[in-house]
Amino acid sequence: MRLETKGLSCGYGRKTVVEDISMFVEGGEVLCLLGANGSGKTTFFKTILGLLEKQAGQVLVDGRDVEGWSPARRARLIGYVPQARGAVFPFRVLDVVLMGRTSHLALFASPSEEDVEKAEEAMAMLDISYLKDQVYTRISGGEQQLVLLARALAQEPRILILDEPTTNLDFGRQFLVMERVKSLSRRGLTVILSTHFPEQSFFYANRVLCFRQGRPLGLGSPSEVVTRENIRAMYGIDVRIISLDARQGGLKLCIPDSLVGCVQKRVS
Amino acid sequence: MYQESGTLRDLSCERATSRDWKKLNYLVLPLAAMFLSFALGRYPVSPRQLAELVAARLFLIDAGPWDVLHTVVFKVRLPRILAAMLIGASLSASGACYQGLFRNPLASPALLGAAAGAGFGATLGICLSLRVVGIQALAFFISLGAVGLTCLLSGKIRHDRTLGLVLAGIMTGSLFTAATSFLKYVADPYDKLPTITFWLMGSLSSITMSDVGFVAVPVFLGLVPLFLIRWRLNVLSLGDEEATALGLNVMRYKLLVIVCATLVTAASVSVSGMIGWVGLVIPHLARILVGPDYKDLYPASIVAGGVFLLLVDDLARILASVEIPLGVLTALIGVPFFLFLLLRERGALR
């Protein structure tokens, strides 16, 4: 399913945070959103999801404007994984994942056995079935993040929006989550995610959109957009982009110049 | 493999039956409390007399010699028992709903100003010599206005939403309490003032069967829709943005919950007067007993609230030779009880 924005501007009240973004992602693709803290990534996501009023432009799903869609209609197509934060009530993890089924339930219904199965499948896919009966407020931040991802999967969306899904995760789980997201996209899911690790875009993204203070800095393939110049413009540091040779899979890494300098000094 | 799936099924069966047993409590506990309450009081009614009386009533057998007994049980105790359960259930259920809606474990009808608003409305109704329906209507609309004012004020306090709601509720509450005091000051000191004063302290002593009817209708009108959407209160308690992203029409459900919960509160307050603490303490107790999932929490709050207020009202009747105002007793019992729950469940309030 194709998600597209045309000249989308977003913000709070009269204040514009993100201006004039045009982009699209097709089913089976991963679009990676890069930008410094406060550059408007979350605002952009919330506007696509209809949580914030857009200021200008259009959000299109398969060419149709989503304006005026009910939250349920939108939620059946677009899933959202927000950044984990504390819940007020100590829900069981399974109950949190079950809430992903909201948009599929009839007016007065509560989740059925079938919904429970779907929630359990989603948890199994992320290897977090062991959390099922634990209390959401008492598990670690990284585990909470995975639970929220499972909740979005239980929603069975066609488009998945993830706000910094790996920020709170440990080293192993960053890879686990990204691998799962990538395999979902291979099965046809449309994925947009934001991240603080430019390298992730080399590994997992088909396309990259860079934000600088709410303005689009570049949109294109990872090797076109994730450049020394753009990284300096976004994060204010100089990096060296190193390609590993083909034997190691032709991967690319971003290493800050200052670190490279240190290493060279130590070696010499 | 076969063996394993067999044990799994056994386990799930076991779980299902233990759940059914728990559900039976929803029926058994209130009935036991009712039975006990019929027997308690200054006029002694033995269990046997009670059983005979109920049987006589049910099967329309002429109950000749029990005139006094009949009056005590059906005219005095029955309406009071029903009213206590209805009102306890209402206050507790609306408290549970407010807590989920405002994502705040401290929310309650009292905290949001709903009770103070209803109190002012009912006082105004008494001053104007309105009939019960008029008093209820006035209590409902002013109570709704009070909750609206609390929401409006708390929206202005952005930096800390929990604190903002508490502060806004305190402000609204004291505004309406002040307005009620003013009404008391200008009310007729021989006729209206005593009525208002006793009513404000909270009491079920003068309740009649027709009063029960007047509460029951709005209470059911409020509690039934809330029961139907109770699972969605879980989603609402995640906050507006997440609930919307999950596909909930947040504005519509919020409005529904506020109107229903306030209707139920106002109907109760207009008959029983100010009875505090039930709406705050009982949902907490229910959360400890059945967990935070509103699918179970909501019915548990209703049952626990009904039983709790019924038992407290029994105490109000029998503790002293003069009746103790119900609002006084719920506070006396509720405060230490709440402290106990807080110490037990520190995590619940973060």
Side-chain angles (χ1 to χ4, degrees), chain A residues 46 51 71-72 75 80 82 85 88-91 95 98-100 102-103 105-111 151 155, chain B residues 99-100 103-105 228-229 231-232 234-235 237-238 241-242 244-249 253 287 292-293 295 348:
Chain A
K46 284 184 178 171
L51 308 180
Y80 178 46
R85 59 198 169 85
V88 180
F89 298 110
F91 288 115
D95 290 329
L98 265 176
M99 291 187 213
T102 307
S103 60
L105 295 178
L107 187 57
F108 295 132
S110 33
R151 186 179 75 185
Q155 196 170 331
Chain B
Q99 288 172 9
R103 316 182 58 213
N104 190 331
L228 291 174
I229 61 148
W231 185 78
R232 281 165 175 73
N234 292 333
V235 185
S237 80
L238 298 177
E241 285 187 349
E242 276 187 46
T244 310
L246 289 171
L248 203 70
N249 192 329
Y253 279 98
R287 207 168 277 125
D293 183 355
K295 203 180 169 194

Side-chain angles (χ1 to χ4, degrees), chain B residues 125-130 187-198:
Chain B
I126 294 174
C127 283
L128 299 173
S129 308
L130 294 181
D188 176 357
Y190 297 103
D191 176 21
K192 305 277 196 244
L193 186 57
T195 319
I196 294 173
T197 308
F198 285 119

Side-chain angles (χ1 to χ4, degrees), chain B residues 307-327:
Chain B
V307 171
F308 175 78
L309 198 63
L310 180 56
L311 295 180
V312 174
D313 188 49
D314 288 342
L315 287 180
R317 284 194 290 147
I318 61 174
L319 266 189
S321 54
V322 191
E323 206 166 290
I324 306 171
L326 196 48

